[in-house]
Amino acid sequence: MTTIAFIGLGHMGLPMARNLLKAGFNLRVFDLLQAAVEDLAKDGAQAASSALDAVQDADVVVSMLPASRHVEGLYLGDNGLLAVLKPGSLVLECSTIAPESARKVHQAAATHGIELLDAPVSGGTAGAAAGTLTFMIGGAATTLEKARAIFEAMGKNIFHAGPDGAGQVAKVCNNQVLAVQMIATAEAMAMGVANGLEPGVLAEIMRQSSGGNWTLEKYNPWPGVMENAPASKGYSGGFMAELMTKDLGLAQEAAQASGSSTPMGALALQLYRLLLKQGKGKQDFSVVQQLFID
Amino acid sequence: MTTIAFIGLGHMGLPMARNLLKAGFNLRVFDLLQAAVEDLAKDGAQAASSALDAVQDADVVVSMLPASRHVEGLYLGDNGLLAVLKPGSLVLECSTIAPESARKVHQAAATHGIELLDAPVSGGTAGAAAGTLTFMIGGAATTLEKARAIFEAMGKNIFHAGPDGAGQVAKVCNNQVLAVQMIATAEAMAMGVANGLEPGVLAEIMRQSSGGNWTLEKYNPWPGVMENAPASKGYSGGFMAELMTKDLGLAQEAAQASGSSTPMGALALQLYRLLLKQGKGKQDFSVVQQLFID
Amino acid sequence: MTTIAFIGLGHMGLPMARNLLKAGFNLRVFDLLQAAVEDLAKDGAQAASSALDAVQDADVVVSMLPASRHVEGLYLGDNGLLAVLKPGSLVLECSTIAPESARKVHQAAATHGIELLDAPVSGGTAGAAAGTLTFMIGGAATTLEKARAIFEAMGKNIFHAGPDGAGQVAKVCNNQVLAVQMIATAEAMAMGVANGLEPGVLAEIMRQSSGGNWTLEKYNPWPGVMENAPASKGYSGGFMAELMTKDLGLAQEAAQASGSSTPMGALALQLYRLLLKQGKGKQDFSVVQQLFID
Amino acid sequence: MTTIAFIGLGHMGLPMARNLLKAGFNLRVFDLLQAAVEDLAKDGAQAASSALDAVQDADVVVSMLPASRHVEGLYLGDNGLLAVLKPGSLVLECSTIAPESARKVHQAAATHGIELLDAPVSGGTAGAAAGTLTFMIGGAATTLEKARAIFEAMGKNIFHAGPDGAGQVAKVCNNQVLAVQMIATAEAMAMGVANGLEPGVLAEIMRQSSGGNWTLEKYNPWPGVMENAPASKGYSGGFMAELMTKDLGLAQEAAQASGSSTPMGALALQLYRLLLKQGKGKQDFSVVQQLFID
């Protein structure tokens, strides 16, 4: 029976770990916040006292951490997990981090004979709870096949993006397009309404036409257009503007690495930073709509 | 039996008129280019020698012209069509023009007791030929109902956008979002490929994820990703970059009228103008991809 | 002795007219606001009851109005001033309006045998009061020479920009550069301070280096760096953000007319519109600094 | 008598070192390219066979290297110079690198009891040859005083920007403003000319007005406006577009570190990357003018 060490039980990690429990995996869990650990222990996970403790006898490690520095801190160096995991272990690194950082961890894993995948997710906390996340995965296809059952316990779309780091690259590309089209939708909604259109009518026309995109389909930023969208609930829930800002920053790091010109993505990042300066970082990222309304 | 005068037989107008013929309407047609007139005459239309000649005894006028000044020139003034059409006539003005210009023509129509709709389309020449255009319509809902059969002979989605001019506003909002997401997709494709991803894989991941949009669904700008997209045919066919530039200019006129801030739309216009300066105005608008590749 | 009719006695027009009085010209003045007219009458001007009244027996007309529509309304049409001025009159149109609008008024003047110059100013209310305005002038060089003494009574730098409308073109080019470098300076100041520099030190280094520009020289947007700058007086005085927004809109009209790509200017306009949405339109345009500070 | 080790004899380093020789300093020089070393040896410098060899008995080290990784490689680690320099040595690190990287080297220097300044320059190869560079210096003011004579042998303006890393921050702020105003000037020149103005007249009006900036004063991007500007010499000489692109990338790293919103600077970077994709990276950075002309 597969034993999984799960490290990082935040807004995303906690529901993901719970889905692994439901699917019947042995789970050893650790987080710096004791409450999350105890929460899962009630559901049948084994509480670990440290990351090192969590990976004892684990066949697989799943990690879900805030940023590159946490991931590098967990895995690299003389006291990092890669130095203590048994050869042949499988590591599914699900954090959203810089592609360059992901590749660094990949290389270290290879030198220790450990198979690792960078596997950032999209779908938000709702997708994490429902087990319908999208995984964008970088690393060997054969490794992905070994891990498929684990991913499928947490998500619905399991994409092999390419070699080491490709999961992170796909994630930042996707989220950059998402941010740009959220802003494009928001500014068009505001312009249309200011020129006399009903927001619901305009939203529906664009949704069904060549302006159609995911935000018009699932996540309209104008309050009241979609009953269940964050915009209709005071921009609460969903995906925080500060997290989108983080992802747009990672995208710019990738653009810098390749010398890519991304005028729309770069501008989206600057507009989200303006929004954060207005104290809206904790609201859903569709709150960018408010920049464009009096 | 309804007699329709159709004025303006360009790339869009010609196939639209042909679909009206197929649907059994009496058609009187005029264009400054004699060839187009003769072409339709072979199919059973009555060739008119002028716009004034075309509207003799017409119940309905449909016009499809390049720009605001042509539309104002056709309808307004002492020699304009509005001065000669019989009261109760129906005018379906399908050109893409400035909302302000559309409202001016609406007002003049009202003073002559003529019902007019601004009804710009989307769907391109392919949609015009197939009779699957989208109409975005401004004016009275009751007028739209009278004209519905005519629209349905030419298109598939018939949207009532709102009051006078609202069709034009919806059109420029939609096309502004379209242009922005085309550029966002193109820059993300280039960045992803420059960072090691296969274009087809990246396109598919984004299409199915929150980055999904109409360009990823129908019209990928990277050559070879979609067999039938203009990008795979040397950026030929489709919707010319110079026409998208025109529409983005109309969007900025609307934004100026309402004082709306549209950072993404404004930047899209500037990038398309750069493209035109490189001599690419006659290529499909997805040619913006080439800005981002060495 | 030259009699000048001065029409439009707002924040700029009033001090400009006063300088003409001081220089010894006969002045007939009109404004829709009676108070301004009476104010100048006390100083020796003749109060007129209408624009038509003001231009009776005038050799020269100077106008200073808010926007294109006011200028066209004043001069054009059967009741416009151009129809009543005596041939050989001289018109100095000092408003900041669209180049296209200026050219329309030029053409009408020519048909009436009247010499006209478009002569927008820069220098703000302080320059108007001190008589140190800059005039950017479009029209015949010979006409400019006839008017030179009048311009010199109101300003210091008298530039002949080129043919009809060229004054307006020069003005919008200049103000577009000004707006962009104000924003560039503001964002660099904020970034430098956020990275540990003293604002005064950073401002001084850039001022003396290749980043030097007029805003660093005269008008630093960071509060306290320059004692007399609007930034140090709560962004009061100076040149209102809403007027800069207007000028940036005129610049975009000129860019549209010529198909010019102006990514920086277009972005500046969008950022100023964001600022107006935050209710800061009446503050000095250096208030854009506040977008970039928490 | 002070002995200076000079490491990095590229386009900038070579003339800087020559000015130190002229000022009478003992100079030990090293570069990976033997030709530059021999060149200076003819002028009286001592040729060193390695960086380690160069710093033997040196009181002061001056380094001028291409990027952060070279600087970190030279100074840090067990084999880095900081490990071998005698306590009390003075290091003047003149490369343009990331502020974060500069601070890392500062910290390492402090642990070895070595005084270090980050001292990036502006002024280009012409300024380096003429000894008129601007130095923007981060570190202790007392250290700067010890080094002043050395800086004055190479430059004219010696600014103390602030604490460790502040020199780099000032440099990227300045160069970001410079890039933005170069582009703003170029797009305004193109728009003005497209609307009928003479380039020289427009340039002069803006130079003397509120649009005035360093590029209008010294470095007009329109060919023929300034006889000695790179624009009038086929965009040769001057400061290469690819180096400006590098500096704008460093600025974005600084903005990322502080979460600063820099819409103009970010857009400037994207436009310079477009230019590099067109193969113009080796031309002077004013070649951005060509983006805006047919």
Side-chain angles (χ1 to χ4, degrees), chain C residues 9-244:
Chain C
L9 303 167
H11 293 306
M12 295 295 291
L14 186 61
M16 288 164 69
R18 191 165 278 134
N19 280 323
L20 291 176
L21 272 181
K22 278 189 208 159
F25 291 101
N26 269 343
L27 214 61
R28 296 177 61 82
V29 298
F30 177 69
D31 191 277
L32 293 175
L33 290 179
Q34 188 60 16
V37 175
E38 288 169 7
D39 198 0
L40 278 173
K42 285 181 204 150
D43 293 352
Q46 300 168 52
S49 59
S50 69
L52 272 174
D53 179 34
V55 303
Q56 298 298 332
D57 304 314
D59 307 294
V60 178
V61 180
V62 179
S63 55
M64 192 64 179
L65 301 173
S68 300
R69 67 179 183 283
H70 307 102
V71 173
E72 296 190 24
L74 178 67
Y75 287 105
L76 304 182
D78 292 344
N79 301 314
L81 292 192
L82 294 177
V84 304
L85 286 172
K86 55 188 175 196
S89 296
L90 190 57
V91 175
L92 313 182
E93 214 302 288
C94 299
S95 319
T96 294
I97 62 175
E100 198 173 353
S101 188
R103 283 188 283 258
K104 201 187 295 183
V105 179
H106 268 285
Q107 282 165 6
T111 66
H112 287 90
I114 290 166
E115 293 185 82
L116 185 142
L117 298 171
D118 56 296
V121 306
S122 83
T125 51
T132 58
L133 290 172
T134 295
F135 285 90
M136 304 173 189
I137 301 172
T142 51
T143 306
L144 193 161
E145 288 316 312
K146 294 183 194 169
R148 184 172 290 277
I150 299 172
F151 286 127
E152 287 179 346
M154 300 185 285
K156 204 174 65 170
N157 291 310
I158 318 295
F159 291 112
H160 185 222
D164 295 358
Q168 300 297 346
V169 175
K171 171 80 187 281
V172 298
C173 287
N174 182 75
N175 277 21
Q176 181 171 284
V177 172
L178 171 58
V180 172
Q181 64 199 16
M182 177 56 86
I183 301 175
T185 298
E187 68 183 35
M189 289 295 299
M191 178 169 75
V193 171
N195 281 281
L197 268 66
E198 286 294 322
V201 172
L202 175 58
E204 185 60 14
I205 292 175
M206 295 196 296
R207 188 182 71 80
Q208 293 196 40
S209 306
S210 50
N213 62 48
W214 185 89
T215 73
L216 283 161
E217 204 65 54
K218 302 274 178 83
Y219 216 91
N220 196 293
W222 194 276
V225 168
M226 285 184 176
E227 203 180 330
N228 291 317
S232 299
K233 298 182 282 188
Y235 298 104
S236 64
F239 183 55
M240 286 193 291
E242 66 185 25
L243 291 177
M244 180 52 94

Side-chain angles (χ1 to χ4, degrees), chain D residues 14-262:
Chain D
L14 185 61
M16 290 165 70
R18 192 166 279 135
N19 279 323
L20 291 177
L21 272 181
K22 279 188 207 158
F25 291 102
N26 269 345
L27 213 64
R28 296 177 59 85
V29 299
F30 176 69
D31 192 276
L32 292 175
L33 290 179
Q34 186 62 13
V37 175
E38 286 170 10
D39 197 2
L40 278 173
K42 285 180 204 150
D43 293 352
Q46 300 167 52
S49 59
S50 69
L52 272 175
D53 180 34
V55 303
Q56 298 299 332
D57 304 314
D59 307 294
V60 178
V61 180
V62 179
S63 54
M64 192 65 180
L65 301 173
S68 300
R69 67 179 182 283
H70 307 101
V71 173
E72 296 191 24
L74 178 67
Y75 287 104
L76 304 181
D78 293 344
N79 301 312
L81 292 192
L82 294 176
V84 304
L85 288 171
K86 54 190 174 194
S89 297
L90 190 58
V91 174
L92 313 182
E93 213 303 287
C94 298
S95 319
T96 295
I97 61 175
E100 198 174 351
S101 186
R103 283 188 283 260
K104 200 188 296 183
V105 178
H106 268 286
Q107 283 166 7
T111 65
H112 287 90
I114 290 166
E115 291 184 83
L116 184 143
L117 298 170
D118 56 296
V121 305
S122 83
T125 51
T132 59
L133 290 172
T134 295
F135 286 89
M136 304 173 187
I137 301 171
T142 50
T143 306
L144 193 162
E145 288 317 312
K146 293 182 194 170
R148 184 172 289 277
I150 298 172
F151 286 127
E152 287 180 345
M154 300 184 285
K156 204 174 66 172
N157 290 310
I158 318 295
F159 291 113
H160 185 223
D164 295 357
Q168 300 296 347
V169 174
K171 171 79 188 279
V172 298
C173 287
N174 182 76
N175 277 21
Q176 181 172 284
V177 173
L178 170 58
V180 172
Q181 64 199 16
M182 176 57 84
I183 301 174
T185 298
E187 69 182 35
M189 289 295 299
M191 178 169 76
V193 170
N195 281 280
L197 269 67
E198 286 293 323
V201 171
L202 175 58
E204 185 58 15
I205 292 175
M206 296 196 296
R207 187 182 73 80
Q208 292 195 41
S209 305
S210 51
N213 62 47
W214 186 88
T215 73
L216 284 161
E217 204 65 54
K218 301 273 177 85
Y219 216 91
N220 196 292
W222 194 276
V225 169
M226 285 184 176
E227 203 180 329
N228 291 316
S232 299
K233 298 182 283 188
Y235 297 106
S236 63
F239 183 54
M240 287 193 291
E242 65 184 25
L243 291 177
M244 179 53 94
T245 308
K246 173 202 158 193
D247 287 2
L248 288 167
L250 291 175
Q252 288 307 300
E253 278 188 54
Q256 172 74 16
S258 56
S260 299
S261 181
T262 61

Side-chain angles (χ1 to χ4, degrees), chain A residues 106-130:
Chain A
H106 268 285
Q107 282 165 7
T111 66
H112 287 90
I114 290 166
E115 293 184 83
L116 184 143
L117 297 170
D118 56 294
V121 306
S122 83
T125 50

Side-chain angles (χ1 to χ4, degrees), chain B residues 11-20 22 64 121-135 150-158 214 218-219 237-239:
Chain B
H11 293 307
M12 295 295 292
L14 185 62
M16 289 165 69
R18 192 165 277 133
N19 280 322
L20 291 177
K22 278 188 207 158
M64 192 67 182
V121 306
S122 82
T125 51
T132 58
L133 291 171
T134 294
F135 285 89
I150 298 171
F151 286 127
E152 287 180 345
M154 299 185 286
K156 205 174 65 173
N157 292 311
I158 318 295
W214 186 88
K218 301 274 177 81
Y219 216 92
F239 183 55

Side-chain angles (χ1 to χ4, degrees), chain B residues 81-83 85-91 106 109-116:
Chain B
L81 292 192
L82 294 176
L85 287 173
K86 53 189 176 195
S89 294
L90 189 59
V91 174
H106 268 286
T111 66
H112 287 91
I114 289 166
E115 293 184 82
L116 185 142

Side-chain angles (χ1 to χ4, degrees), chain B residues 98-256:
Chain B
E100 199 174 348
S101 187
R103 283 189 283 260
K104 200 188 296 183
V105 179
H106 268 286
Q107 283 166 6
T111 66
H112 287 91
I114 289 166
E115 293 184 82
L116 185 142
L117 298 171
D118 57 295
V121 306
S122 82
T125 51
T132 58
L133 291 171
T134 294
F135 285 89
M136 305 174 188
I137 301 171
T142 50
T143 306
L144 192 163
E145 288 317 311
K146 292 182 195 171
R148 184 172 289 278
I150 298 171
F151 286 127
E152 287 180 345
M154 299 185 286
K156 205 174 65 173
N157 292 311
I158 318 295
F159 291 112
H160 185 223
D164 295 357
Q168 300 296 348
V169 174
K171 173 79 189 279
V172 298
C173 287
N174 182 76
N175 276 22
Q176 181 171 285
V177 173
L178 171 58
V180 172
Q181 63 199 14
M182 176 57 85
I183 301 175
T185 297
E187 69 182 35
M189 290 295 298
M191 177 168 76
V193 170
N195 281 280
L197 268 67
E198 286 292 323
V201 171
L202 175 58
E204 185 60 16
I205 291 175
M206 296 196 295
R207 189 183 71 80
Q208 292 195 41
S209 304
S210 50
N213 62 48
W214 186 88
T215 72
L216 283 161
E217 204 65 56
K218 301 274 177 81
Y219 216 92
N220 195 292
W222 194 275
V225 168
M226 284 184 176
E227 203 179 329
N228 291 316
S232 300
K233 297 182 284 188
Y235 297 105
S236 64
F239 183 55
M240 287 192 292
E242 66 184 26
L243 292 176
M244 179 53 95
T245 307
K246 173 202 158 195
D247 287 3
L248 289 167
L250 292 174
Q252 287 308 300
E253 278 189 53
Q256 172 74 15

